[in-house]
């Protein structure tokens, strides 16, 4: 087990004991740690976090931003254990919420 995998296990255990279920975030972070392990990275770097967050390349930038947000939480935790780990800045991955189609509300006529 890599040091990053052990740190992720600790991070998820702590978050879950605090009441956060984190099913989707946990799966995302497991994929991120696998990505780091394949890259032989001993710690999180902004460059690697961005490279992973921007996968798949044809995804909407909002998806990239969500993925980076999840990584940022783990990176903050990891930086307390390994100060050399980088926490990606919040403004390094653009993305806004995709616009949803407008909904029409039927008008009500008041009776007098």
């Amino acid at each position: 087990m890599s040091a990053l995998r052990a740190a992720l296990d600790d991070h998820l255990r702590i978050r879950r004991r605090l009441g956060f279920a984190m099913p989707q975030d946990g799966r995302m972070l497991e994929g991120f740690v696998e990505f780091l392990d394949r890259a032989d990275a001993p710690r999180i770097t902004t460059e690697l976090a961005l490279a992973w967050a921007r996968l798949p390349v044809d995804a909407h930038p909002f998806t990239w931003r969500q993925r980076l947000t999840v990584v940022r939480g783990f990176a903050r935790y990891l930086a307390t254990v390994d100060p050399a780990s980088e926490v990606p800045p919040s403004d390094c991955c653009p993305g806004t919420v995709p616009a949803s189609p407008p909904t029409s509300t039927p008008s009500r006529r008041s009776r007098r």
Side-chain angles (χ1 to χ4, degrees):
M1 177 184 295
S2 73
L4 288 169
R5 170 64 61 187
L8 175 60
D9 290 347
D10 289 342
H11 172 69
L12 292 175
R13 185 173 39 259
I14 290 167
R15 297 288 292 170
R16 288 176 177 142
R17 284 185 180 165
L18 290 172
F20 298 94
M22 299 180 60
Q24 183 177 354
D25 291 359
R27 284 189 299 275
M28 271 197 247
L29 288 172
E30 287 171 2
F32 176 59
V33 168
E34 287 173 18
F35 176 85
L36 293 175
D37 286 344
R38 282 193 306 272
D40 259 351
R43 65 189 44 89
I44 296 174
T45 65
T46 299
E47 180 181 351
L48 286 170
L50 279 171
W52 178 82
R54 290 183 173 151
L55 296 174
V57 294
D58 60 344
H60 191 281
F62 179 71
T63 301
W64 299 341
R65 187 175 182 92
Q66 283 181 313
R67 289 167 58 96
L68 191 60
T69 297
V70 170
V71 166
R72 196 174 295 110
F74 176 51
R76 278 193 298 268
Y77 165 79
L78 196 56
T80 65
V81 179
D82 177 10
S85 290
E86 298 175 16
V87 178
S90 59
D91 63 349
C92 65
C93 191
T96 57
V97 177
S100 56
T103 58
S104 61
T105 306
S107 62
R108 293 178 153 176
R109 291 187 177 166
S110 61
R111 296 184 183 187
R112 292 188 178 182

